[in-house]
Structure formats: structure tokens, C-alpha cells
Amino acid sequence: MHHYQSICRLTVLLLTVIIGPLFTISANADTKTTVREETVVIGVISSNPKKAFKRAQPFADYLAHSLSNHGINNGQVIVARNARQMARWINSGQVDLVSETVFAAQELIQLSNAELLARRWKSGVAEYHSIFFSRLNNGVDSLDDLLGKTVVFEDTGSTSAFLIPAAILLEQGYELYELSSPREHPPADKIGYFFSDEYSKSGGEANMMSWVHRNIVAAATFSNLDWDKEIPEQIKHQLQVIHTSQAIPRSLVLTRPNLSSDFKQSILKVLLSAHESEQGKQALKAYKKTKKFDPITPEIEQSIVWAEMQKTLVDEHISR
């Protein structure tokens, strides 16, 4: 009998250990659901969560305060490692809002049916474009002059310093030839290219500019923003821009597709007016020096479609 009672007590103890946590998880899930309904969540794709939180949290707080009439009490930032993880969170309703570059935004739209909401003037800029530049008086005054010569791109993931300029060359019928080193020469009927980050630890615009200036390459490409900011005036006078691309938005804001129309319009209203108050300006400034948000116009939609076509061209070239 004593042995039977011991077994019973052990069984009850085991059930308490096993079942107890299940009820705790369930209770926490219910609490979390309630809190989620009172929370607006901004998603960020970043490899540096600490920095991402610091930049986005003040704006999440501002957004929450401005949406209090919808029962919102909290602003939260969650950081994903990549677009696929962010798309899963958008699909599961964990993220309300995300701001990304054109190509990352397109990927999120394809993976999660996220919806365009606004354009973000990130770092104070509404849009930007790619430029090709060469050294003055070295016989490279147009894209045609690049045949049999070399152009340097920055890295395979760069929008303005690879994807857009490479697509422009492909779209205009030029054949690209990847070089194994900066000293190699392409065939006479092709345009050679390599990536600066593969040959220099520091990589970046300074090296690209230097290679053009020293006639190691015929041309380089990056954004007009980098052209304005990174090249010293005394060097700039010895260089020339030989081609400029169409402009694309600096950053886009997306929402999850199952957001109610009323809530979505309220968020848009807050975004569009944020730059008009001192509190809003401070939140925007922390949010990677955002100047303001503005509506998606037909012109912006056209530039997004154009950018998508450019990426398709490069993807096809790379997959050959």
C-alpha cells in the first residue's frame, strides 16, 4: 500500500512538472496577445540589433503616442537578420511597419504581400541615382568608350554601385566580362568589371575614386550622394560624370497586408505630419536622420517598377 501511495505521489508530481509549464505558456501567450493589440511594431533588417534599436525606438514611441486613439500604448522595435525572416514576421502579424531600400522592399512584397505605404526621406534624402565617372581627358567620355576597358563596382549587394549601373550597361546591349584582378584586361568588344571590396579591406568610394584618378580603371560607379560627399573638390575637378541613371526612392515604408484600412490610414497620417511638430522632428532625426515621409505617387511607383526591371537584368546575367 505504501508503495502504491508513493507511485501515486510521484505521478502527481510528474504531472505538475509537465503540465504546469504548459498552463504558464498558455497564460503568457494570452497576455502577449493582449499586449500585442496595444502595441505598434516597427521591423528593422539589420546585423547590428543594438544600433537598430537605438535608431528606431524613439520613432516607435512617437508613433505609439500618436496612435493612442486606436488603443495603442506601446511602440516596439524588432530586428530581423534578413528579408526572409522579416517576411515571416509580416506574414504572422508580428510586424506592422518596416522601412527598407527599394530592392529589399520588393523582396518583402514578393515574400509576404506587404503593401507600400509611403516614401521615407532617409538621411534627409528623398531619392538618389547612380553615376558613372571617369578621369578627364583620358578618352572615356561616354559608355561606348568603356568597350575593351574596365569599370569598378563596389560590391554585389550595392544598389547604386552595382545593380543599377550594371543593369544600365546590359540594357543598352553591352556585354560584361568579370575580371580576375584589376590588372587583367577585358576583350575589346566587352566591358570588364571587378568589385572593389574584393581587393581592398577598406573598399569603398575612396579607393574607387583613386583607381579612376590613377588610371588603373577607366570608370567607377556609385551614387550621386557619395559623389557629393566622398570626393574632395580638388580631385572632383579632374573627374567627370559620363552617365546618370534614373532616380529611385532612398527608402520605402511597407505595412503588413492584413492591417485594417482605418489603422493603416491613421499610421499614414502620422507619418506624413511627423515633420511638422518638434516632437516628431526629434523622433525622425533619431530614425537615421529621416527628414520626413511623403505619399507614394505614380512617378514613385514607376521608378520602383524600373528598378525591379534593372535587378532582373542583373540576376539573369549572374545566373548565366
Side-chain angles (χ1 to χ4, degrees), residues 43-152:
V44 181
I45 299 172
S46 175
S47 58
N48 190 332
K50 190 176 179 181
K51 187 180 284 187
F53 282 119
K54 186 179 179 182
R55 286 173 171 169
Q57 190 60 54
F59 191 72
D61 293 338
Y62 172 78
L63 198 58
H65 175 75
S66 304
L67 295 168
S68 58
N69 60 324
H70 282 271
I72 301 297
N73 296 316
N74 306 294
Q76 185 182 351
V77 177
I78 60 175
V79 181
R81 294 183 303 275
N82 52 46
R84 290 195 172 275
Q85 184 177 35
M86 182 61 72
R88 287 197 298 273
W89 290 349
I90 293 170
N91 279 323
S92 64
Q94 289 175 260
V95 170
D96 298 313
L97 208 66
V98 61
S99 172
E100 271 303 328
T101 60
V102 170
F103 291 138
Q106 286 170 339
E107 188 174 0
L108 289 173
I109 290 168
Q110 290 165 1
L111 293 171
S112 69
N113 293 316
E115 297 173 358
L116 275 174
L117 184 66
R119 177 174 65 175
R120 174 183 168 198
W121 290 46
K122 186 178 175 182
S123 301
V125 178
E127 60 185 21
Y128 67 123
H129 53 260
S130 294
I131 61 166
F132 289 78
F133 66 93
S134 67
R135 185 181 171 96
L136 271 173
N137 305 317
N138 76 340
V140 180
D141 303 313
S142 69
L143 297 183
D144 273 344
D145 295 327
L146 291 173
L147 284 170
K149 297 185 176 69
T150 300
V151 59
V152 58

Side-chain angles (χ1 to χ4, degrees), residues 55 58-59 62 274 277-287:
R55 286 173 171 169
F59 191 72
Y62 172 78
S277 71
E278 196 54 43
Q279 187 182 5
K281 282 179 184 176
Q282 289 304 312
L284 288 172
K285 186 178 179 182
Y287 196 26

Side-chain angles (χ1 to χ4, degrees), residues 7-23:
I7 291 173
C8 286
R9 280 198 298 271
L10 183 60
T11 304
V12 170
L13 181 63
L14 285 170
L15 285 172
T16 303
V17 171
I18 294 168
I19 294 173
L22 294 180
F23 284 116

Side-chain angles (χ1 to χ4, degrees), residues 25 54 137 168 207 215 222 224 257 286 318:
I25 291 167
K54 186 179 179 182
N137 305 317
I168 286 170
N207 277 324
N215 283 321
F222 45 64
N224 63 301
I318 291 171

Side-chain angles (χ1 to χ4, degrees), residues 181-199:
S181 86
R183 300 292 179 184
E184 185 188 356
H185 296 289
D189 60 343
K190 294 179 173 63
I191 297 175
Y193 72 93
F194 66 93
F195 297 100
S196 67
D197 72 335
E198 293 180 5
Y199 295 96

Side-chain angles (χ1 to χ4, degrees), residues 30-41 60-61 63-76 93 96 256 263:
D30 290 341
T31 305
K32 191 175 180 181
T33 302
T34 304
V35 171
R36 176 66 184 98
E37 289 169 356
E38 299 172 0
T39 305
V40 62
V41 181
D61 293 338
L63 198 58
H65 175 75
S66 304
L67 295 168
S68 58
N69 60 324
H70 282 271
I72 301 297
N73 296 316
N74 306 294
Q76 185 182 351
D96 298 313
R256 58 182 169 92
F263 191 40

